[in-house]
Amino acid sequence: MKHTVETMDVLSTDLYENLKALNTLLNDPSDLTTKVIAVGGSKYKAAIVSLEGLSDQLLLKEQVINPIQQNTSMSVESLLNPTQALQDIENQMISLQVPARTGQWETIMSFLLSGDAVLLLDGADEALMIKSRDWPSRSIEEPQTEALVRGPRIGFTESIETNISLLRRHIKQPELMIMPHTIGRRSKQTLCIVYIKGIANSSLVNEVERRIKSLNLDYAPESGTIEQWIEDSSLSPFPQILNTERPDKVTAALLQGKVAILLDGTPFVLLLPFTFVSLLHSPEDYYERWVIGSLIRLLRLVAVFATLFLPALYIAILSFHPGMIPFKLVVSIAASREGVPFPAVIEALLMEVTLELLREAGIRLPKPIGQTIGIVGGLVIGEAAVQAGIVSPIMVIIVALTAISSFAIPSFSAGISFRMLRFITMISASFLGLYGIVMLFIMICLHLIRLHSFGVPYLAPIAPSFKGDWKDMFLRVPVTWLTKRPVFMKPGDTHRAKKR
C-alpha cells in the first residue's frame, strides 16, 4: 500500500517514497546521512538514516550496515514477507538496542532528532529505531558551585542518561522510579521525575507530575525555567525548589521522601519540596561528627542574620539610636566619619552596590581574571573611597563582613534572596530605625509562614511544629539518633535506620 508524500502521517511501503518524505519533513537538512544497502541474501533494499554529529557513524557501520549486508541466512518466509524480513533484521542482524518499531512519522522524527538512527526497509510500512546516540558530553567532574572539604568528588553532567546512572549507582533498588516526560513543543527535551516508591508520598508525586504535564512552552534552556513554572509562589523572593549538582545530595533527599526532577542538557537537578531550614544544610554536615556539623550550622545561621541585618543595624543605631553604643565606640565612629559628606544610608548603599557590581563582574570575567578583579578591586576601591572621604573605615568593615557572611550560605539561590532583601532592610532602617527592622522581620516571618512548597509548609518543622524533626534542624544530633525520616514529608516508610 502506498501513500502520498503530502499525508506525512504514516510510512509508505515504497522505500524511496519514504526517503523523499523524510527529506521533506526535515526541510532537506545538510547533516542528514542516508545509506541505502542491499540486505544480504535477498532482493530487499534498506536505508539507514541518521543525523551526522548526533549518531555514532562508526558504530552504525560496524553493528548495523556490515551485518545486514553480510547476512545470508534469511528464511524463506522472510524472503516473501517484508514485515517478517524486518523482524529478522531486528532479531538476528542488529546487535544494537532497538527501542521502538513504528510506522508513525511523528515517532520516527522524535527518535531521529534525538540522535537515534532509523532503518527503513523497502516493502515494509514500519521502521526500526536504533539506539546510536553520540552527543558531545562533558566528563564527570567535581561540582563547581558546591565544593566540599570532605565528600564525593562527583557531580552531574549535561547528559540525563549519565545523571540517571549516577543515581542508580547510589540507590541499587528497583523501587527507584524514573518517570520520563517530553517537554517543549519545539525542543522535545527529555525530563525525568525521580522518586523512591514506598518512601515518597504518593500525593506529592501526583502533584509534581500534574505540574510537569501542565507545562506549555517551546524550550526549557535550563532547569531554572522549569523551577519558575512549577513553583508555588513566583512573587516570593525565597526559592521554593532546591537545585544541586551533587548526586549524594539528591540521593539523601530521595531517601527522605523528596522528589527529584532531571532535565536533559543541564547538570542542575531540582529537589522538592524545599523548606527554610534546608538553607542551612550541606551534605558535609553528615560526613563530619555531630559536634562539628552543629557548630557549622550555627555559624551559617549567624551568617544569614548578618547578611540580612548587619548593614541595617549599623544605619539604625548610628542614625536613630546612638545612645545604645558605648561612649568610646561612639567617639571612634564619629572620628572615622569626620569628613564623610553622606548620611549612613547613602554610604551603605554606595558600598553595597559597588560590592554587588564587583561580585557580578568577577563571575562574568574569565576565571583567572575574575578572582583578581574581586580581590584587588575590592581592596583598591575600598581604600580609595576611605582616602577620598566618601565612606568611613567602619563601613568598609561592615560591608566586608556582610559579603563574607553571604558566601557562607550553602544555597546560591537563597544567598541571592538574602542579598536582595538586605537593601530593603537598609531602607527600612533609614526611615524607622530599629522599629523598621523589627517590623520588616515580622513581615518576612509572616510571609514565610504562609509560604508552601508542594503542599509542605516552608517553615516546617518549626511552624507547624514537628518536634521529632528538630533533631536535624539548626543543630544535628549524632547520626545514630536519626533513625526516622522527616515527619512533615509524610513518607510511606518512616524508618531509615534501626539501632542494633
Side-chain angles (χ1 to χ4, degrees):
M1 178 180 178
K2 292 188 177 183
H3 302 275
T4 60
V5 177
E6 287 75 12
T7 59
M8 300 300 181
D9 291 329
V10 296
L11 266 68
S12 165
T13 55
D14 184 86
L15 175 63
Y16 295 98
E17 185 178 327
N18 289 331
L19 293 177
K20 182 180 178 182
L22 183 60
N23 275 275
T24 303
L25 288 168
L26 292 173
N27 296 309
D28 296 320
S30 59
D31 56 346
L32 183 67
T33 301
T34 303
K35 180 70 174 178
V36 179
I37 60 174
V39 180
S42 72
K43 60 179 181 179
Y44 296 114
K45 294 284 186 179
I48 292 85
V49 185
S50 62
L51 289 173
E52 189 175 355
L54 295 183
S55 297
D56 191 331
Q57 301 298 323
L58 180 61
L59 183 67
L60 287 174
K61 181 178 180 181
E62 294 178 349
Q63 303 293 331
V64 179
I65 296 176
N66 290 344
I68 291 177
Q69 289 178 321
Q70 297 168 5
N71 190 285
T72 58
S73 59
M74 187 169 290
S75 64
V76 177
E77 184 182 355
S78 298
L79 293 174
L80 300 175
N81 188 347
T83 303
Q84 183 61 41
L86 190 66
Q87 184 70 40
D88 286 352
I89 291 174
E90 177 182 356
N91 296 336
Q92 301 175 15
M93 304 181 192
I94 299 177
S95 57
L96 297 180
Q97 181 185 354
V98 179
R101 176 176 172 176
T102 180
Q104 300 293 324
W105 276 118
E106 183 178 359
T107 306
I108 292 173
M109 296 292 291
S110 177
F111 277 93
L112 184 63
L113 293 172
S114 297
D116 294 323
V118 177
L119 187 146
L120 301 168
L121 183 67
D122 193 20
D125 58 358
E126 288 185 319
L128 299 181
M129 311 298 109
I130 303 173
K131 199 78 171 179
S132 59
R133 299 181 186 182
D134 184 32
W135 293 1
S137 60
R138 178 171 57 91
S139 60
I140 297 176
E141 301 171 351
E142 182 178 0
Q144 298 296 317
T145 59
E146 298 174 274
L148 299 181
V149 176
R150 182 176 182 178
R153 299 291 190 265
I154 296 177
F156 289 120
T157 69
E158 286 75 14
S159 171
I160 193 170
E161 290 86 2
T162 302
N163 297 341
I164 291 174
S165 67
L166 290 175
L167 292 180
R168 289 204 178 276
R169 178 181 174 184
H170 285 79
I171 305 176
K172 304 178 181 68
Q173 290 290 327
E175 288 79 13
L176 180 64
M177 308 301 295
I178 300 173
M179 302 170 57
H181 295 267
T182 301
I183 65 168
R185 296 193 304 267
R186 305 288 184 182
S187 59
K188 302 296 182 182
Q189 295 165 271
T190 301
L191 179 146
C192 289
I193 300 174
V194 183
Y195 65 97
I196 299 180
K197 187 178 181 180
I199 296 180
N201 190 283
S202 58
S203 60
L204 170 63
V205 176
N206 293 335
E207 177 62 17
V208 174
E209 189 173 11
R210 184 191 68 80
R211 297 192 191 187
I212 292 298
K213 288 182 177 179
S214 68
L215 292 176
N216 186 18
L217 64 166
D218 284 343
Y219 171 55
E222 215 276 333
S223 58
T225 305
I226 306 297
E227 176 184 350
Q228 296 174 66
W229 272 88
I230 65 175
E231 64 184 355
D232 287 67
S233 175
S234 57
L235 299 179
S236 174
F238 295 97
Q240 296 128 60
I241 300 175
L242 179 65
N243 63 81
T244 180
E245 290 184 83
R246 302 192 62 87
D248 57 333
K249 194 170 183 177
V250 176
T251 301
L254 292 175
L255 291 171
Q256 285 184 338
K258 296 184 179 181
V259 176
I261 296 177
L262 283 68
L263 179 66
D264 195 21
T266 175
F268 288 93
V269 174
L270 303 180
L271 293 175
L272 48 95
F274 183 54
T275 59
F276 182 83
V277 175
S278 302
L279 297 175
L280 307 178
H281 293 183
S282 171
E284 201 171 17
D285 299 345
Y286 302 94
Y287 304 152
E288 297 287 355
R289 299 186 70 252
W290 71 276
V291 177
I292 300 174
S294 298
L295 177 60
I296 293 174
R297 284 188 182 178
L298 287 177
L299 287 175
R300 294 191 193 117
L301 183 62
V302 173
V304 168
F305 278 92
T307 303
L308 195 55
F309 296 115
L310 187 58
L313 286 172
Y314 172 78
I315 294 170
I317 293 175
L318 192 64
S319 302
F320 293 89
H321 316 282
M324 298 178 63
I325 311 175
F327 179 73
K328 291 185 178 181
L329 183 58
V330 171
V331 174
S332 176
I333 294 175
S336 67
R337 284 186 50 79
E338 185 177 359
V340 177
F342 304 112
V345 61
I346 301 299
E347 182 186 10
L349 287 173
L350 284 174
M351 288 302 297
E352 291 292 349
V353 170
T354 303
L355 175 66
E356 294 299 328
L357 288 174
L358 285 173
R359 193 197 312 250
E360 187 67 17
I363 294 174
R364 304 305 165 196
L365 287 172
K367 190 173 182 181
I369 304 176
Q371 295 177 349
T372 305
I373 290 294
I375 298 173
V376 177
L379 292 174
V380 171
I381 292 178
E383 181 65 23
V386 172
Q387 293 295 330
I390 298 176
V391 298
S392 60
I394 191 170
M395 176 53 69
V396 176
I397 297 174
I398 294 292
V399 170
L401 288 175
T402 305
I404 294 172
S405 299
S406 66
F407 289 131
I409 302 173
S411 173
F412 179 74
S413 300
I416 295 177
S417 300
F418 288 120
R419 282 156 49 190
M420 179 179 62
L421 289 173
R422 180 176 64 213
F423 288 95
I424 301 178
T425 59
M426 290 163 57
I427 295 173
S428 179
S430 68
F431 283 103
L432 298 173
L434 289 177
Y435 299 104
I437 296 177
V438 173
M439 289 176 61
L440 186 61
F441 178 70
I442 293 173
M443 293 174 63
I444 293 174
C445 289
L446 291 174
H447 171 70
L448 293 176
I449 290 174
R450 297 181 59 186
L451 194 61
H452 285 73
S453 175
F454 286 82
V456 175
Y458 200 68
L459 282 184
I462 304 173
S465 177
F466 297 92
K467 293 185 178 179
D469 296 334
W470 286 13
K471 293 183 293 184
D472 190 19
M473 193 169 61
F474 299 127
L475 298 176
R476 183 181 71 78
V477 300
V479 292
T480 54
W481 296 7
L482 299 175
T483 59
K484 293 187 176 182
R485 309 184 203 278
V487 177
F488 64 85
M489 288 297 304
K490 300 178 181 178
D493 180 7
T494 58
H495 288 81
R496 58 182 172 185
K498 292 183 180 179
K499 292 185 178 180
R500 294 183 178 180

